[in-house]
Amino acid sequence: MPYPTDRERDRPWVMRTYAGHSSAAASNALYRRNLAKGQTGLSVAFDLPTQTGYDPDHELARGEVGKVGVPVSHIGDMRQLFDQIPLAEANTSMTINATAMWLFALYVTVAGEQAEQAGLDRGEVLAKLAGTTQNDIIKEYLSRGTYVFPPGPSLRLITDMVTWAVVNVPKWNPINICSYHLQEAGATPVQEVAYALCTAIAVLDAVRDSGQVPEDRFGDVVGRISFFVNAGVRFVEEMCKLRAFAALWDEITRERYGVTQARQRRFRYGVQVNSLGLTEAQPENNVQRIVLEMLGVTLSRSARARAVQLPAWNEALGLPRPWDQQWALRMQQVLAYETDLLEYEDIFDGSRVVESLVDEIVRGARAEIDRVQAMGGAVAAVESGYMKSELVTSLAERRRRIEAGEDVVVGVNRFTSTEPSPLQTDGASSVETVDPEVERRAVRAVLAWRAGRDHSTVDAALSALRNAAKTGANLVEPTLVCARAGVTTGEWAAALREVFGEYRAPTGVTSASASGGAGASGAAGAELAVVRERVRRTGAELGERLRILVGKPGLDGHSNGAEQVAVRARDVGFEVVYQGIRLTPGQIVAAAVQEDVHVVGLSVLSGSHLEVVPAVVAGLRAAGAGDVPVIVGGIIPGEDAAVLREQGVARVFTPKDYELTQIMAEIVDVVREANNLPVERG
């Protein structure tokens, strides 16, 4: 067959890398380099203080500034972040949720400033702005943890932003319904589809019921709803999941909301392929995992992603370097430009296998959607803890299958013999590191920014925001006033905290099923029974039941690991103290002393371990509880683990330590060592 030269190619998807770290200036340089390499869109990673509404000098921001993204504290930082990048020509995705309205206001304000500097009409420039704010707070309560306000006020912020954006920035996607983190938290394909669509229903119902959009413009709202999905290595199943997503979205928007235009009902989604499945052991295997996962969201033309960002091979080790991100970008470019993928109609249309699996996912998701709607919708299912406990249970079952060897992970539970990886020969330099001076500079900078403002203008803007929040007024306009006045991220969030209050979501631990633990059978069940007996015997020797505190210090809200540790600890007989995310070291120490625990387990995935963990160890000593051992789990490079052990940490667990029951056995050893009991096996 001759090489086809006249076949019309589908246009490539928007190619992004998820990037941002240290400072606005450093991230701006990275963005401009990536664009020069052929990246066609930007995906901004914000640091945790920015995501949760704190300035760099707040106590909870300690150790978190610039670690997992760029700190943006005010309009000056946003100007620097997009210096020499014309926003009217950019396609920008911003992964931001609780503070989405604030970052969107900063972005729109900078775009307006760029228009004025270029002598262009501000309204025309805003009408050209293309991009996405994630702005999905429901999944934050379920998985990622960067929520701030209670569900009701959070949904109001989303509603106000959606209604304002549809009129004023019509090419912008004001919300990205995000199932990505649901899969990371354990969701099956059915749960991922169902819970994401329940979130979309909650948002669309709120927008409709707000009365801010005329009935004849509601199709425009639906047409700007986008999705952000996950794609795992089971790429046939993942491809079918996306076809099911598209079918259900078309059904819901047509039947529930009466949208008649097919273009407005189109399922529009971007994707980052699975980071949960990346391994610390034999990390070179992550390259082929990423490529296979990319196929699941690109092979089927009728359900193809319109934007793709890929993780780097070494994300299970730490922060990727620019070269690692370039590698991930080149994977996309090879697929889009060297292969013939984009030259054909959908190659799966008519496949009986695909149709059967799509139908199965659709039926399951439709039933789960109906179940959640019967509870009162997504918000009610969050507040009751139903969806969270379902995800914790699903993740426990997934871990059980991996530990039992039923699900094979190459290099982890099978084919573990290996040669040294040449990709890691540089040791610590195989990942990006953030200089601690970055945080100190950010603190000095925000203090200087506050000192240099017109305080009366700032006070008036914040007062107007608080007053508007007490009414039913749309909050975008007073937020824009705050942006122009020089208000900081922490001040904007604090003003709304005063009105809306804060929220602590259900953890899902106490109500989660023990399918991954107590229900285990075979060799896994026998091993668990042995550890359970050791926990019982050690408690008897000490004269009380063993107690473990599982803590999440700092702003890291990725609680999946902590929750699974808490569930397994409960299953082997520990009394578990788990208070959820976002705790200061002082709060963790106080809880450990009050509950008189035998061991403290800390989970840190944000890179702040060298700051927050020693603070807990020092706090326990100061409180007279220095004999309580501390263990740590997270993405912790080997040299950092050595530092933590030198500072008194009893054990450090990283992603390669996937066998939770074995971890429980080591925790029993730690308790026995701390209490001068002989360490025995069996």
Side-chain angles (χ1 to χ4, degrees):
M1 177 180 176
Y3 185 82
T5 58
D6 57 350
R7 191 173 287 134
E8 182 180 354
R9 290 173 63 88
D10 191 17
R11 63 183 176 89
W13 50 87
V14 176
M15 299 183 189
R16 296 184 172 120
T17 53
Y18 182 54
H21 66 86
S22 300
S23 67
S27 297
N28 171 263
L30 176 62
Y31 295 162
R32 287 190 283 115
R33 287 201 305 272
N34 286 347
L35 291 170
K37 293 172 182 175
Q39 187 172 301
T40 55
L42 296 172
S43 180
V44 182
F46 295 100
D47 73 353
L48 289 174
T50 304
Q51 293 185 50
T52 51
Y54 295 106
D55 288 335
D57 59 339
H58 193 280
E59 179 186 12
L60 274 169
R62 181 183 176 189
E64 307 280 16
V65 178
K67 286 285 174 63
V68 300
V70 57
V72 175
S73 300
H74 45 71
I75 188 69
D77 287 340
M78 189 64 85
R79 290 173 185 141
Q80 178 66 69
L81 187 63
F82 292 103
D83 182 44
Q84 302 179 59
I85 300 175
L87 297 187
E89 303 170 15
N91 190 308
T92 305
S93 171
M94 295 193 284
T95 301
I96 196 77
N97 296 284
T99 55
M101 181 183 289
W102 173 243
L103 273 298
F104 177 65
L106 294 179
Y107 188 88
V108 168
T109 302
V110 169
E113 292 176 349
Q114 289 185 354
E116 293 171 6
Q117 293 163 5
L120 302 174
D121 180 84
R122 178 180 180 274
E124 291 180 2
V125 168
L126 295 191
K128 293 179 181 178
L129 292 183
T132 302
T133 30
Q134 194 168 100
N135 204 19
D136 174 2
I137 204 65
I138 297 295
K139 67 96 173 52
E140 296 298 320
Y141 300 124
L142 299 176
S143 56
R144 192 164 167 268
T146 66
Y147 56 81
V148 175
F149 313 111
S154 295
L155 192 56
R156 175 192 171 180
L157 290 173
I158 294 171
T159 299
D160 287 354
M161 191 169 149
V162 169
T163 57
W164 189 91
V166 165
V167 174
N168 295 279
V169 194
K171 290 186 178 180
W172 192 266
N173 302 320
I175 186 170
N176 212 207
I177 307 295
C178 184
S179 71
Y180 176 87
H181 297 95
L182 300 180
Q183 187 181 119
E184 301 273 288
T188 64
V190 164
Q191 290 171 326
E192 184 181 345
V193 172
Y195 296 164
L197 291 177
C198 284
T199 297
I201 289 169
V203 170
L204 288 175
D205 283 359
V207 170
R208 179 195 60 198
D209 297 344
S210 74
Q212 296 186 62
V213 178
E215 186 176 344
D216 61 354
R217 293 289 307 274
F218 197 74
D220 295 334
V221 174
V222 172
R224 297 321 306 173
I225 302 295
S226 62
F227 291 78
F228 186 67
V229 308
N230 205 329
V233 76
R234 293 171 57 84
F235 69 93
V236 175
E237 183 177 72
E238 295 293 343
M239 185 267 294
C240 292
K241 177 187 75 180
L242 270 304
R243 291 172 71 104
F245 241 136
L248 280 168
W249 180 240
D250 184 81
E251 174 185 303
I252 289 168
T253 53
R254 184 180 65 253
E255 296 181 2
R256 187 181 182 97
Y257 300 109
V259 179
T260 58
Q261 293 188 32
R263 177 181 56 82
Q264 293 176 330
R265 298 198 308 268
R266 183 164 55 94
F267 181 70
R268 300 179 308 113
Y269 77 96
V271 63
Q272 171 158 323
V273 305
N274 196 318
S275 294
L276 179 67
L278 303 184
T279 63
E280 178 188 17
Q282 299 180 23
E284 61 275 10
N285 295 336
N286 294 331
V287 175
Q288 51 264 36
R289 291 187 179 107
I290 292 167
V291 172
L292 290 169
E293 290 164 352
M294 179 171 52
L295 290 178
V297 295
T298 55
L299 281 176
S300 175
R301 184 168 183 171
S302 63
R304 180 173 294 152
R306 296 318 314 168
V308 177
Q309 59 191 46
L310 303 181
W313 68 276
N314 54 350
E315 287 198 14
L317 307 177
L319 185 66
R321 301 159 299 182
W323 184 87
D324 305 313
Q325 293 186 329
Q326 175 183 299
W327 193 358
L329 174 62
R330 295 295 186 244
M331 292 178 195
Q332 296 197 57
Q333 291 169 329
V334 168
L335 180 64
Y337 297 110
E338 292 192 25
T339 77
D340 60 350
L341 174 67
L342 300 181
E343 296 174 7
Y344 299 93
E345 294 302 312
D346 199 302
I347 60 177
F348 294 101
D349 284 350
S351 165
R352 289 175 298 174
V353 172
V354 169
E355 289 177 359
S356 175
L357 183 51
V358 170
D359 288 345
E360 180 182 332
I361 295 172
V362 165
R363 287 195 303 272
R366 191 182 285 127
E368 187 64 13
I369 290 169
D370 290 345
R371 188 173 296 113
V372 171
Q373 294 308 305
M375 296 176 184
V379 171
V382 165
E383 293 174 331
S384 70
Y386 168 75
M387 287 200 290
K388 181 65 173 180
S389 65
E390 289 295 295
L391 294 177
V392 172
T393 298
S394 292
L395 186 56
E397 171 59 18
R398 179 194 293 172
R399 292 195 66 100
R400 183 201 64 77
R401 294 195 307 268
I402 292 174
E403 291 181 41
E406 296 170 15
D407 287 358
V408 175
V409 182
V410 173
V412 174
N413 65 358
R414 194 181 296 184
F415 313 117
T416 54
S417 62
T418 183
E419 300 295 331
S421 170
L423 294 174
Q424 296 177 273
T425 54
D426 292 333
S429 65
S430 64
V431 295
E432 188 82 25
T433 57
V434 177
D435 189 335
E437 179 60 24
V438 163
E439 183 168 311
R440 292 189 284 270
R441 284 197 297 266
V443 170
R444 293 194 296 268
V446 77
L447 293 174
W449 176 268
R450 292 198 201 109
R453 301 175 304 182
D454 183 325
H455 295 291
S456 61
T457 302
V458 170
D459 291 344
L462 288 170
S463 178
L465 176 66
R466 281 190 291 266
N467 290 336
K470 295 172 185 176
T471 71
N474 189 298
L475 294 178
V476 174
E477 288 294 343
T479 295
L480 287 165
V481 172
C482 286
R484 293 190 291 269
V487 166
T488 67
T489 299
E491 290 168 339
W492 178 86
L496 293 183
R497 282 184 171 101
E498 289 181 32
V499 180
F500 296 152
E502 291 195 76
Y503 185 71
R504 296 196 71 80
T507 66
V509 169
T510 55
S511 55
S513 128
S515 61
S521 59
E527 181 184 3
L528 190 134
V530 168
V531 177
R532 187 184 294 121
E533 172 57 24
R534 294 190 65 220
V535 169
R536 186 205 63 76
R537 189 170 66 248
T538 301
E541 291 177 61
L542 294 175
E544 55 186 338
R545 186 179 176 188
L546 294 192
R547 291 180 295 280
I548 179 172
L549 183 148
V550 178
K552 291 286 297 177
L555 297 176
D556 170 30
H558 286 86
S559 58
N560 305 333
E563 289 155 1
Q564 293 305 308
V565 167
V567 170
R568 188 61 57 87
R570 181 195 65 190
D571 291 344
V572 298
F574 278 94
E575 180 181 334
V576 178
V577 179
Y578 177 58
Q579 298 173 325
I581 63 172
R582 211 176 306 162
L583 300 170
T584 66
Q587 289 172 321
I588 290 174
V589 168
V593 172
Q594 180 177 347
E595 300 290 343
D596 193 22
V597 299
H598 298 93
V599 60
V600 171
L602 304 178
S603 170
V604 186
L605 288 88
S606 64
S608 63
H609 45 268
L610 290 181
E611 290 82 13
V612 295
V613 173
V616 172
V617 173
L620 287 170
R621 290 170 179 162
D627 57 338
V628 177
V630 174
I631 61 174
V632 183
I635 299 175
I636 301 173
E639 61 275 16
D640 289 359
V643 171
L644 292 175
R645 285 190 289 267
E646 289 172 2
Q647 296 185 356
V649 171
R651 296 285 193 283
V652 177
F653 300 101
T654 64
K656 70 178 183 300
D657 303 303
Y658 70 95
E659 294 183 347
L660 282 178
T661 303
Q662 178 59 38
I663 291 174
M664 292 301 119
E666 290 198 44
I667 293 174
V668 177
D669 291 344
V670 167
V671 172
R672 295 185 69 85
E673 291 166 1
N675 289 276
N676 298 313
L677 298 175
V679 176
E680 301 172 346
R681 291 290 182 185

